[in-house]
Amino acid sequence: SIGHPFGATGTRLVTTASNRLIHEDGELAVLAACAAGGLGHAMLVQRWKPKAAATSATSTSNSNKNNSNKKQGNKKQGNK
């Protein structure tokens, strides 16, 4: 079991769930904890993946390929 200071259960649960979502490429995590006297809490955590970042990385990759192709084309034309 992972130890934690008294009163930090929620922080440990959220941190552990967030790290597992990242490492396991997950989307949702459910957290639950009980407290004395029948009290308790629960939380649903959703991993946020920005769509703009994925698009930006793809367009940058395509841009680099296009620039590389242009350079190679210029070299080929120069050899003629």
Side-chain angles (χ1 to χ4, degrees):
S1 142
I2 301 172
H4 57 279
F6 183 74
T9 303
T11 302
R12 189 197 65 79
L13 287 171
V14 171
T15 302
T16 301
S18 299
N19 285 330
R20 288 193 64 176
L21 285 175
I22 292 167
H23 293 295
E24 296 175 14
D25 196 29
E27 185 179 347
L28 295 172
V30 177
L31 312 173
C34 60
L39 301 173
H41 63 272
M43 178 188 293
L44 178 65
V45 178
Q46 181 176 11
R47 182 178 174 195
W48 181 68
K49 297 180 186 178
K51 293 181 181 180
T55 304
S56 175
T58 303
S59 63
T60 302
S61 170
N62 290 338
S63 168
N64 289 340
K65 287 179 185 176
N66 290 338
N67 289 338
S68 176
N69 290 339
K70 288 178 186 176
K71 289 177 186 175
Q72 289 176 356
N74 291 340
K75 288 180 185 177
K76 290 179 184 176
Q77 290 173 358
N79 291 337
K80 289 184 179 179

